[in-house]
Amino acid sequence: MATEYPISKFFFKVDFGGVEFNCTEVSGLDFENEPIEYRGGADSEFHKRKQAGMYKYADVTIKRGTFADKTKEFYTQWAKTVYLQEGGEQYRGDLTISLLGEGSNNIIMSWLASGAWIKKIQSTDLKADANEIAIETAVFSVNKLTIL
């Protein structure tokens, strides 16, 4: 009998607008169905009933080490939203996060954040007496999150 273990979460890839980011952390893969409470005037029971309402999606945050990189991946994507490039419309794209099998490129599970755009870039803090690597953060606002 084969023993199966839970999937490790440290081997993943992130793709946005055809650009693959080498990230150290992804958070915010949350979605929630906000309940609607309702009680009809003629109901004989004295409590509200709950039914499914609108979906709410969290912002997706990705973090990565800062590299001496002339392409400036985060900033190039973010500039498209700030300076209204891409034909004058705000740039949106699909953000795909894929959990990979250990030691392979075999995709175990994927999340597709549709209509994503970078709403915040946070550069690393600088501290002369620190012994840490520089981490930069991008926060994506998403329209919809789907598990593939």
Side-chain angles (χ1 to χ4, degrees), residues 26-41:
V26 176
S27 61
L29 299 175
D30 307 331
F31 49 96
E32 177 182 349
N33 189 322
E34 297 177 323
I36 299 171
E37 294 185 355
Y38 176 79
R39 182 183 179 276

Side-chain angles (χ1 to χ4, degrees), residues 19-92:
V19 177
E20 193 169 304
F21 294 111
N22 186 6
C23 302
T24 60
E25 183 179 337
V26 176
S27 61
L29 299 175
D30 307 331
F31 49 96
E32 177 182 349
N33 189 322
E34 297 177 323
I36 299 171
E37 294 185 355
Y38 176 79
R39 182 183 179 276
D43 284 353
S44 61
E45 297 182 18
F46 296 109
H47 64 84
K48 296 177 184 175
R49 299 176 193 270
K50 292 184 181 180
Q51 61 187 35
M54 301 292 284
Y55 286 99
K56 184 168 102 174
Y57 304 99
D59 290 338
V60 176
T61 302
I62 62 175
K63 295 183 180 184
R64 69 177 221 142
T66 303
F67 294 94
D69 181 13
K70 293 182 180 176
T71 62
K72 297 185 178 21
E73 293 169 334
F74 280 174
Y75 304 102
T76 303
Q77 295 296 335
W78 177 65
K80 293 177 182 178
T81 65
V82 174
Y83 302 117
L84 300 176
Q85 296 177 3
E86 300 289 321
E89 296 178 356
Q90 193 171 30
Y91 181 78
R92 292 179 184 261

Side-chain angles (χ1 to χ4, degrees), residues 5-6 31 41 44 46 53 110 136 141 146:
Y5 295 98
F31 49 96
S44 61
F46 296 109
S110 291
E136 56 189 2
S141 184
T146 308

Side-chain angles (χ1 to χ4, degrees), residues 127-132:
K127 190 173 179 184
D129 62 349
N131 187 19
E132 304 164 350

